[in-house]
Amino acid sequence: MNISRGIIILVLLSSAVYADNSSEVDRNTSTQSTQDEFNYIDDTHRSISGTVVEWADKIDTKISSWLGNMEDNSTRVTPRVLDASSTSLENQVKLADAFFQSNKYLNETEDIYIRVRTGATFESKYSEDYEFKLSAQIPFSKSKKYLKIFINDVTVDNTKGVLAGDLDDDKVDPNLGINYFAPEKYGINSKYALGLSGTDPFVSARYNMPIKTNEWLIDPVQIFRYSLDDEFEEETNIYFDRQFKERSLFRLQLHRKTQEILDGMDYALSLQYYWSNKEKTGLGFSQTFFGNTEYHYTIDKFAPIPQIETFGGINNYVTAFTWRANIWRDWFYYEVRPSVNFHIENDYKPNYAVRLIFDFYFGQYH
C-alpha cells in the first residue's frame, strides 16, 4: 500500500466526520436518506454494544456458577467509576489516562469494551506504516476469582502469522489470556495474567502502590513476565502526578526494564502534560529521553558488512504533541500526533513523524 492510497483512505474517513458536522449546521438541506443512514449506524452500534455487554455478563455468570457461590462480598473488588465532576487528583489522573488511552489505563481498567483502531504513521526517514488493531477487555465482576479476559494487538497480519505458524519478530504478537485481580492488601494492588503471546504461553504479575502526598500522587509499578519466547523480563515504572490547574495534569515518569534475551538495561525519563479546554477534547505534550546501558546499533545499514557498535547512554530524544477528540458520535475518537525524534541510528538527525488514529468503541467505555 503506497502513501497516496493511505492518505486517500484517511481523507475519506475525515470527510465522513466533516459531513456529519456540516449536517448540524445545514440541517434543513440534509436529505432524509442521509439521516436514515446515520440512524442506521447508531442503531447498529447500540446493537453491537448491547451484545458485547450481554455476552460478557453471560460468560461471567457461567464462570461464577463453575467456581461456586462461596464469594465473600466484603472482599469483592469495587469497580472503578470515573466521575467527571470530581476535582480530586486521583480522579483527574484516571480521567486523563482513560481519555488518552495510556498503557497505565489499559493495564488497570475494568471497562467492558471492544476497541477497533485504524490509522497510519508517516515518517521522514522511514516508510509509512499502517495499522488496524482489535483490542478487547471483558471483566467478570461476579466471579469470585476477579477474572478478566483480555485481547490485545490483534491485526490481520499477525493473526495470519499465528495460524500459519510464521510470526515476524519485528511485529507485535497478538495477546490472549485471563487476568486475575487480587483484592488490595496492605495498600498494594496486584494483577496476575496467564495467556498466549502469539503461540507462546506467558505468565505475568503486576504490582502497584499509590501514595498520596499534599500535592503529588506517586504510583510505583513493578511488572514481572516470563514467556517461552522472550524468557524472563521485568520493568519498573514510577509515576509522579500533579495538578497545577483545573482540567490539566503534569506527569513525570521514570522507567527501567531488563530482558533476559537482551543485553543491558533500558531506562527512560518522560515529562508529560495533559490539558483539556472542554469536554471530550484534549491536548498532550511529552518530552522523553530513552537510553540503555548496552545498546547495539548498526553504523552503516547499507555497507556490505554492517558494523555493530555498542553504546551506553541516551540513544533517542522524542518530542511529541497529541490532539485527541471525540467527534461525530460518543464512540468515535480521532487522534493526531506530530513528533520529532533524534535517534543514534540516524546520527541524531531529526526524524519528523505524524501519526493519525481513529478509534471505534463498542460496549461500556470511558
Side-chain angles (χ1 to χ4, degrees), residues 20 35 38-39 41-42 326-333:
D20 186 65
Q35 188 60 46
F38 290 151
N39 291 337
I41 292 174
D42 288 338
N326 170 216
I327 55 173
W328 194 32
R329 296 294 188 263
D330 291 339
W331 42 269
F332 181 23
Y333 287 77

Side-chain angles (χ1 to χ4, degrees), residues 10-70:
L10 295 175
V11 168
L12 289 175
L13 287 172
S14 302
S15 299
V17 175
Y18 176 78
D20 186 65
N21 290 335
S22 298
S23 67
E24 294 296 328
V25 179
D26 303 320
R27 186 182 300 273
N28 294 330
T29 62
S30 62
T31 62
Q32 185 62 39
S33 60
T34 301
Q35 188 60 46
D36 290 342
E37 290 176 0
F38 290 151
N39 291 337
Y40 174 78
I41 292 174
D42 288 338
D43 291 341
T44 301
H45 179 268
R46 281 193 292 268
S47 176
I48 296 175
S49 294
T51 301
V52 170
V53 176
E54 180 182 357
W55 285 1
D57 184 70
K58 288 182 178 179
I59 297 173
D60 189 2
T61 303
K62 178 61 68 175
I63 291 182
S64 297
S65 65
W66 289 344
L67 295 175
N69 197 19
M70 299 180 292

Side-chain angles (χ1 to χ4, degrees), residues 116-119 130-134 154-156:
V116 178
R117 166 169 288 188
T118 181
Y130 300 90
E131 61 179 304
F132 184 89
K133 292 183 179 180
L134 170 68
V154 176
T155 69
V156 175

Side-chain angles (χ1 to χ4, degrees), residues 69-78 141-142 144 146:
N69 197 19
M70 299 180 292
E71 178 182 9
D72 181 2
N73 291 329
S74 63
T75 62
R76 283 186 57 182
V77 174
T78 301
S141 58
K142 298 176 184 177
K144 68 176 184 178
Y146 315 109

Side-chain angles (χ1 to χ4, degrees), residues 141-253:
S141 58
K142 298 176 184 177
S143 304
K144 68 176 184 178
K145 294 296 185 181
Y146 315 109
L147 300 174
K148 182 178 72 173
I149 286 179
F150 64 88
I151 303 171
N152 292 320
D153 298 323
V154 176
T155 69
V156 175
D157 290 338
N158 62 26
T159 301
K160 290 180 179 178
V162 170
L163 296 177
D166 183 21
L167 293 178
D168 188 345
D169 292 336
D170 295 330
K171 298 293 184 180
V172 177
D173 293 335
N175 285 263
L176 170 65
I178 296 179
N179 285 325
Y180 165 65
F181 288 85
E184 179 183 327
K185 191 172 184 180
Y186 306 118
I188 300 176
N189 301 311
S190 305
K191 184 183 79 170
Y192 305 92
L194 174 66
L196 293 173
S197 179
T199 57
D200 297 301
F202 73 88
V203 294
S204 69
R206 182 183 189 272
Y207 306 96
N208 75 299
M209 185 176 66
I211 302 170
K212 180 69 168 63
T213 67
N214 290 335
E215 297 180 334
W216 293 86
L217 178 63
I218 305 172
D219 192 4
V221 180
Q222 180 65 44
I223 301 174
F224 302 97
R225 176 182 169 113
Y226 180 83
S227 68
L228 294 182
D229 183 28
D230 297 327
E231 300 181 356
F232 179 76
E233 56 187 88
E234 57 84 28
E235 70 174 282
T236 304
N237 290 284
I238 306 178
Y239 302 91
F240 299 85
D241 293 314
R242 179 174 179 177
Q243 189 174 18
F244 289 102
K245 63 179 182 178
E246 189 178 355
R247 304 181 72 91
S248 70
L249 178 70
F250 171 76
R251 168 172 290 171
L252 169 65
Q253 179 182 351

Side-chain angles (χ1 to χ4, degrees), residues 100-126:
F100 286 96
Q101 295 286 283
S102 69
N103 288 331
K104 189 174 188 293
Y105 162 76
L106 295 176
N107 284 323
E108 296 175 352
T109 183
E110 297 175 22
D111 289 350
I112 303 174
Y113 72 89
I114 293 177
R115 184 188 74 184
V116 178
R117 166 169 288 188
T118 181
T121 301
F122 306 98
E123 300 183 77
S124 59
K125 290 189 175 296
Y126 302 95

